[in-house]
Structures are given as structure tokens and as C-alpha cells.
Amino acid sequence: MFSAKALFQEIIDNDDSYRLFCSIAASGEAQGGWENGRIAALLPPAMAGLAPKVARHGADEDKHGRIFQALLRKRGLTAADVPEETDYTMLLERRGIGLAHDKLRRDAPLSELDIITYLSHSRVTEQRAADQMDMLTKYFGDHPEVGKAIRMISNDEDNHLAYCHEELLRLARAGHGRTIQRILHECANAEIAVYRDVSLAVMDHMGRILKWPAAKSAVLRAGIRAMYGYERAGGWRRMVSLSMPERRDALGGPATSTAEFA
């Protein structure tokens, strides 16, 4: 009844819903940039070779945050406050997924297990990001206002996902396979529930902004819950499998600049 393309078009066409969408996205990307920056600075000595890639990951996330801010400015909008119930990163942390921010704020080096946790968490969340950007690229990759941003971010997310696969496989070969699979399963089970909750919250806010009729909102909520049911039944497996990516050493070079987007 309601296609993803039609829904996103409706969100883009309204300044208030577009403002909320870009604000949520910018906040999440900036948070990811900070996390990766801290992890790069706190890597254990034995894993210091990962520092350029982790830093590149963080630089990409920071860039994405700036891109969403630039999209707002181009329309003459300022960032909106992000409702707590739509804060994907914070809600994952509250469930104990990934590395706690308290730990990242300290100056003590992280452990090898911390880095395995970080990479496993990233493998799951980057799968979600890559899937979302693939969908947006399919429908809006040629859009005159947001198309270039979507294509750039989508390419970066594919790089991030490839990097996670490659590094986790390297660690699995070093004897950490069972630990990696355990953490991947824990992250995936938590992520699909958080994604459901955040999706319901975002749709609720968008429905109020866009004045959707109750029937439309009910159908969308049912669709989100149905997707969660599919993921709980087995769709989560795409988030925990590991395979050598076609893009090797995907984060081995410098990050592209936001100037390319502008």
C-alpha cells in the first residue's frame, strides 16, 4: 500500500520532516565518528596497526554528519533536537552493545576483547546502514537534492562493512572465532529489537508532522513489526555471517573530503 520510495519522498518534500530526518542522521553519524576516534586513540599496542583504519572509519562518519548538516543548510534549515527514543546509538549502548562510552572517555588502552567487540558491533550496525543506503540509492540516487549525498554515503558504508568482514576473519584465523560468533549473535539480537523500536518512534514523529491518518500509521507500524518478526525468525543471519569481501583493504587509504559532496 505504501512504498518505501513514496514514504521517503513525502519526508523529503516537507521541511519539518526533512529537518528531523537529517538531524537524526547527523547526530548518529557524529556519534559514530567520536566513538571510532576514541577507539583509534586507545588501541592496545599489539593492535596498533589497525589505528589508520579505525581513524578512517571515524573520519568517514564525521564526514557523513557534516553532509547531513550541509543538506539542512542548503534548504535554510537548522538541526532539530533528536528525540531520545529515536537515538539508535544511545539505545544500543543502553543494551550493553558495543563499547561503553564511559570506557571510551578514559585514557586506559582497550583490550583485544574490546576491539573484537567493537568490530563485531560494527559488522552488525554497518550491515543495517549498508542495507538502508542501498535502498535509498535505488530510489533516490539520482535525486537532484539528496542523490549525490546518498551515493557518497552508500559507498562509504559498503567500505565499512567490507572492512569489518576482513578484520573479523583475520581475528577468527588467529583463534578468536567462537568469541566473534558469540558477540555477533548478541549484537544482532539486540540490534533488531532496537531498530524496530527506533523505526516505530521515527514513524510516530513523522506521522504527527505529516498528519498521516490513523489507518496509514497503523499499517506502517504493522509493517515495521512484521519486519522485526522476519528478522527474529532468521533474517538476523545476514548480520552474523562472515565472508571475504570483494573490496579488500577498503579503509586502507585516506577518507574522501566533504568538499566532494559540496
Side-chain angles (χ1 to χ4, degrees):
M1 185 183 295
F2 308 111
S3 70
K5 181 177 181 179
L7 286 171
F8 193 67
Q9 186 67 62
E10 195 174 354
I11 290 169
I12 289 177
D13 289 345
N14 180 280
D15 279 353
D16 290 334
S17 55
Y18 182 74
R19 180 184 182 224
L20 179 60
F21 168 79
C22 289
S23 298
I24 292 171
S27 175
E29 297 287 359
Q31 188 64 60
W34 176 82
E35 290 174 358
N36 279 276
R38 290 301 298 155
I39 292 166
L42 299 175
L43 282 166
M47 305 180 83
L50 269 178
K53 295 180 181 182
V54 181
R56 160 76 185 274
H57 192 177
D60 283 345
E61 303 288 3
D62 282 336
K63 177 185 69 180
H64 299 168
R66 293 193 300 273
I67 286 173
F68 282 112
Q69 293 285 357
L71 288 173
L72 286 170
R73 288 195 301 273
K74 282 187 174 183
R75 200 181 279 195
L77 302 172
T78 57
D81 291 334
V82 175
E84 186 173 299
E85 63 273 18
T86 69
D87 193 330
Y88 173 81
T89 303
M90 180 193 70
L91 293 172
L92 282 173
E93 186 192 4
R94 284 184 179 174
R95 284 182 174 248
I97 300 304
L99 298 180
H101 288 181
D102 285 347
K103 176 176 284 191
L104 296 181
R105 292 188 183 99
R106 302 174 198 146
D107 290 326
L110 298 171
S111 68
E112 188 174 55
L113 179 59
D114 288 331
I115 303 309
I116 291 171
T117 299
Y118 147 68
L119 286 168
S120 299
H121 167 253
S122 295
R123 187 264 176 273
V124 170
T125 56
E126 292 297 342
Q127 182 71 59
R128 181 71 71 188
D131 289 348
Q132 290 180 317
M133 296 313 300
D134 282 347
M135 181 270 291
L136 290 176
T137 299
K138 176 181 177 182
Y139 295 128
F140 294 95
D142 295 326
H143 190 278
E145 185 174 9
V146 300
K148 191 171 184 179
I150 286 171
R151 293 194 308 272
M152 176 179 283
I153 294 172
S154 181
N155 182 68
D156 287 346
E157 300 298 5
D158 287 344
N159 283 339
H160 299 167
L161 186 57
Y163 148 75
C164 292
H165 274 271
E166 189 169 6
E167 295 303 328
L168 285 170
L169 284 170
R170 181 180 60 80
L171 288 164
R173 288 194 299 270
H176 300 288
R178 289 186 179 180
T179 300
I180 290 168
Q181 281 301 313
R182 174 180 60 79
I183 298 173
L184 282 173
H185 281 75
E186 290 172 357
C187 288
N189 285 331
E191 194 279 342
I192 62 173
V194 167
Y195 182 71
R196 174 204 59 196
D197 294 345
V198 168
S199 297
L200 288 169
V202 170
M203 285 299 104
D204 184 54
H205 282 278
M206 294 300 178
R208 288 200 295 272
I209 291 170
L210 296 168
K211 297 180 172 56
W212 287 339
K216 181 174 182 176
S217 295
V219 169
L220 292 174
R221 286 195 297 270
I224 291 167
R225 293 192 176 101
M227 174 58 71
Y228 170 70
Y230 159 75
E231 292 193 327
R232 187 178 175 89
W236 56 270
R237 291 187 175 88
R238 78 187 190 286
M239 295 180 161
V240 302
S241 62
L242 293 175
S243 59
M244 189 57 69
E246 292 183 9
R247 299 185 185 196
R248 303 293 294 273
D249 196 26
L251 297 188
T256 56
S257 70
T258 319
E260 286 191 29
F261 160 72

